Amino acid sequence: MDQSVTLVGTSVSILFCCLSKSFPPPRLIKHSASLLFPHPKALPGQILQGILPLLNIYYLERIEDIAVKKGLSTQPIWHKLWNDVMKIRPSKSENITSWRKKFLETFFSNVLHGVLDVSSDQRLSDRHFSPLLHSSRHVTQLTICNMLQGVAELTAEPNQRVLENLAGSLRTLKFRHLLTSDLSIRHSLSLLLHHLIHHGAVSQVSMCSWPVPDKVLLVLILSMSAGFWHPGKTLVHQGSPCSLCREESDAQGLLTQEDEALLESNQLCCGSAEQSETVQWGDSESRSRKAQTASAKVLQEADPDSQASIELSRSSSDTVKTPVLCGLRSHPLQNLACQDTSCKVPPEYHNIKGESSPSLPKRSSVGPAFRKPYRRFKTAVGRKRRCTRRNRRARADSEDLYDFVFAVAREEEEAAAESLYESNAQEGESIDGWAPSPADTPSFEGVGCTEGGSVGILPLKAACRFRSVSTLELFSIPLTGDTCRALGNLLSSWASLEKLVLSYNGLGANIFCILSGLRALSHRRDCSLHVVRVSDVFSYIPSVELVRSILTAFPRLHTLSVSFDLKNQLEGNRPEGHSSSEAEIPESCLEQLEIRFPREPLQTSLLLPVLKASRSLQQLSLDSATISCPLEFGLLLQALKECNPGLKRLSFHDVNLADYQKEVLLLLQDPVLQEITFSFCRLFESCTTEFLSNIIKIVKRNSTLKSLKLPGNRLGNHRLVALADIFSEDSSSSICQLDVSSNCIKPDGLLEFAKKLESHILQRGGQITFTHLRLFQNWLDQDAATAQEALRRLRAVCSVVSNTWDSSQAFADYISVM
């Protein structure tokens, strides 16, 4: 009773200060806050409403739920905090649903990177609370920049609870402008990724703007994102697995007797099999020493823990075991499927002459027990020291990170993929029939793919498989042949990957390494990949050819986007040999296809087989293509009608259609298409009045078409006013979205359009389907008053999206339209 009286009394004192517009003393606020918890429900709503703006961020966050239950919103308070503390304006494209989450997420990042001093504002400082711990629960996206600032702090022992909170809340992990880091930071990063990805809920990893990437650091991030981890001394120094691994092992059980037998067998340990190993593979190792010398420097940087790795475990080179022996970690939010683990000879175990390497014995299929996490680290360390001393010198150069990527990734390929690769290796052909010259063929020397196959392969007991992310994005990061081969091998077994984005990576001929990994991945029954986006400055092969190659390698894709800015002007860089157009494209699951041509011909003859194989296609976008003749365009329209009956969205951007008016009218008559886009296609560059009237008549009769987008087609005022007749009383049109951006529209023309639209609506009794109008980059600044009047009338009818644009920056060729 006394506590309630004191609480109300203190709250009333603060309320009087609020009413008198004087700020209460900080001591009084803190005293009131301490009384509020754990009994904040005792306060009436009106008193609580007066106290909320005076609380610091820690008490404000804690009282959020109670305030909502009392019908109070803290969003204005968090918004004010954002403006006062962050002092930056969020992007207009960002849809902020919770200012609390927005503030605390940014607050966490700024404190972590040392950008924000919490002592600078009394609302941010409280000795009873940790800024990082308190805000970490609200962080769903974290960006790591430059020298990996904050990584060591997050993995430090005092911030263990912070890392646990991030593991549960974080969904997106971004890397921007990274620089080369030292060994200790790299160890901290591996621990951080292990917690956030392998034991956490991170589903997306994005890397951006890395002009000169550190090859070792890049492959480390890629391999751990794919679920692979080579702990090395990172955990050996700790003397045990990480706490999460240990907890999962305790919860799910120890090794079964069968597992123990396998771990102790000669196939896994370097016991009696070592002598036969030396004899059997001696020639192969001697042949590959020169290739390993090229990666000796990378070895020291990429795997500084190679000695500990050897101490952890070794496997006999005449037997390959799958990584499930090391324990498969699955997060409750996402189960990583790796059920087909039968061990057959992967394609890497064939030499360049097409001869098979010494046979590798198969083992029995792995049961469900093998998919449990195991206590593997202490066992491996205890049993492998004596084996390592005998072969330390012979295997020192082979224990690098790239070898690990190549070894693990290929072991989970399906039998169909292996036989396909074997046949391709014997025929000496590349992906989809391409046969590049030797100069164009990427070299695998020094990256774990050498003659003999087994040399340079990391022991799989030291390579652990965990949960992996579902989205990988690489923006503006040059990928060399080594990193492309490493990525291709990771992709071959990345079953959980759903979306892959490669943007401006300078792939060139290395695109075939990626295709190789995708082809292997497509043969996995548990494969999840359905979105691939590839964009670059120069095209190594024609755009349509690349589309054919990707679909042939991975017909299970749902979305495919291929975009290039410029042609590759170096003639010698084009692949030689017979074209991939000779290869038949299997039936695909493609639903969305986007192709940006670098001012190349449309190549309808090559595009038609793609359309025929994509019966499920629903959306097609063609950008910056050139059409040679009406016959070519007609063939395309005929193929779309016959082969893609489910096509609903069709888009042309920067394709000159000024001379193809007949074909444009045929598209507008299509009874299936729901959205048509003609963006910067010069439709009305030299058209007649008859062409515009035909468009209006056809659209008025088409009840299927719902969206018509005509940006950048030089409509002008009089053509815009004419388009209002689409919504006349005798129209059966279902158009609900109209885009007339960048069409040289002036305020007076827009006002006339608005008035004409109002009259049609009155004639139809107020019944109209038109809901959205886009007016970006028009000349509305020439008469602000008239423009505001037009926008006011239009907004009473539909939703209008416009912007303030300086028309003086318009291109000179638009002036002639008016």
Side-chain angles (χ1 to χ4, degrees), residues 56 127 200 213 221 256 283 360 368 382 450 495 505 537 565 661 724 767 776:
N56 61 35
R127 62 184 179 85
I221 297 174
T256 62
D283 295 338
L360 304 177
T450 57
N505 306 117
V537 177
D565 298 336
Q661 298 180 4
Q767 300 296 325
F776 288 109

Side-chain angles (χ1 to χ4, degrees), residues 478-508:
L479 299 180
T480 63
D482 290 351
T483 51
C484 283
R485 285 188 287 274
L487 177 58
N489 280 271
L490 288 172
L491 289 175
S492 65
S493 63
W494 202 330
S496 69
L497 189 65
E498 299 177 2
K499 181 179 180 180
L500 174 65
V501 179
L502 302 175
S503 181
Y504 295 96
N505 306 117
L507 295 177

Side-chain angles (χ1 to χ4, degrees), residues 28 56 70 74 104 152 190 215 298 319 326 403 450 455 558 612 707 818:
L28 181 59
N56 61 35
K70 291 181 177 291
T74 61
L104 291 176
S190 65
K215 184 164 56 176
V298 177
T319 303
C326 300
D403 299 336
T450 57
V455 179
H558 291 176
K612 291 179 181 179
S707 177
M818 306 307 296

Side-chain angles (χ1 to χ4, degrees), residues 91-308:
S91 174
K92 293 182 179 180
S93 60
E94 185 177 5
N95 183 21
I96 301 176
T97 57
S98 172
W99 280 103
R100 177 181 68 161
K101 177 185 177 301
K102 175 68 176 176
F103 177 86
L104 291 176
E105 189 172 52
T106 308
F107 174 77
F108 177 89
S109 179
N110 290 349
V111 172
L112 179 65
H113 297 143
V115 178
L116 180 62
D117 181 11
V118 295
S119 62
S120 61
D121 193 317
Q122 65 177 7
R123 294 172 294 181
L124 311 179
S125 177
D126 194 311
R127 62 184 179 85
H128 297 96
F129 296 93
S130 166
L132 290 180
L133 178 61
H134 192 78
S135 57
S136 58
R137 298 190 299 269
H138 301 274
V139 179
T140 58
Q141 176 177 303
L142 179 62
T143 301
I144 299 176
C145 306
N146 303 329
M147 298 295 292
L148 304 178
Q149 292 94 332
V151 171
E153 184 175 357
L154 286 177
T155 55
E157 185 66 25
N159 288 325
Q160 182 177 357
R161 290 182 59 194
V162 176
L163 197 56
E164 292 176 357
N165 287 344
L166 289 178
S169 64
L170 199 65
R171 298 295 184 271
T172 302
L173 188 60
K174 294 186 177 182
F175 297 89
R176 294 181 182 273
H177 311 290
L178 294 187
L179 301 174
T180 302
S181 58
D182 57 26
L183 182 60
S184 61
I185 296 296
R186 199 175 300 155
H187 283 323
S188 298
L189 178 63
S190 65
L191 285 176
L192 179 67
L193 295 178
H194 178 60
H195 279 79
L196 299 183
I197 296 178
H198 300 164
H199 293 292
V202 171
S203 60
Q204 176 178 338
V205 170
S206 299
M207 287 184 275
C208 177
S209 301
W210 201 355
V212 185
D214 182 339
K215 184 164 56 176
V216 177
L217 186 59
L218 176 58
V219 174
L220 172 65
I221 297 174
L222 290 176
S223 59
M224 296 198 71
S225 299
F228 295 107
W229 190 31
H230 178 204
K233 291 183 180 178
T234 304
L235 294 183
V236 172
H237 285 167
Q238 296 181 359
S240 64
C242 78
S243 58
L244 294 176
C245 293
R246 186 167 57 251
E247 290 174 3
E248 291 183 5
S249 298
D250 294 340
Q252 299 188 27
L254 303 177
L255 290 173
T256 62
Q257 295 181 354
E258 181 183 0
D259 301 342
E260 292 287 356
L262 281 172
L263 290 175
E264 295 174 357
S265 67
N266 291 337
Q267 296 177 348
L268 290 178
C269 297
C270 303
S272 60
E274 288 180 353
Q275 296 178 355
S276 61
E277 173 187 355
T278 305
V279 175
Q280 187 174 9
W281 294 100
D283 295 338
S284 299
E285 292 187 3
S286 63
R287 287 197 305 267
S288 63
R289 288 188 185 278
K290 293 183 179 180
Q292 290 181 351
T293 304
S295 63
K297 185 176 181 180
V298 177
L299 164 65
Q300 297 176 358
E301 299 178 354
D303 190 10
D305 308 324
S306 58
Q307 191 63 42

Side-chain angles (χ1 to χ4, degrees), residues 684 714-719 743-744 779 812-818:
F684 307 106
R714 308 185 181 185
L715 271 172
N717 281 355
H718 64 284
R719 295 192 184 97
N743 271 296
C744 310
W779 297 358
D813 63 338
Y814 280 149
I815 300 177
S816 61
V817 178
M818 306 307 296

Side-chain angles (χ1 to χ4, degrees), residues 652-718:
F652 294 92
H653 176 76
D654 200 12
V655 179
N656 190 350
L657 299 179
D659 299 328
Y660 301 97
Q661 298 180 4
K662 179 181 178 181
E663 288 75 15
V664 170
L665 295 176
L666 288 175
L667 282 175
L668 293 173
Q669 294 178 19
D670 191 285
V672 180
L673 286 175
Q674 298 180 6
E675 179 179 311
I676 298 180
T677 301
F678 297 109
S679 176
F680 294 88
C681 292
R682 306 183 185 180
L683 286 184
F684 307 106
E685 183 175 276
S686 58
C687 74
T688 61
T689 307
E690 182 181 2
F691 176 60
L692 180 62
S693 61
N694 287 335
I695 289 180
I696 296 173
K697 291 178 183 178
I698 291 174
V699 175
K700 287 172 64 175
R701 294 196 299 265
N702 191 339
S703 59
T704 305
L705 189 63
K706 292 179 171 56
S707 177
L708 180 61
K709 300 180 179 180
L710 304 170
N713 283 287
R714 308 185 181 185
L715 271 172
N717 281 355
H718 64 284

Side-chain angles (χ1 to χ4, degrees), residues 415-444:
E418 294 159 2
S419 61
L420 179 61
Y421 271 104
E422 182 178 355
S423 62
N424 287 345
Q426 294 174 353
E427 297 175 3
E429 296 182 359
S430 182
I431 300 297
D432 301 332
W434 284 112
S437 62
D440 293 331
T441 304
S443 172
F444 284 81

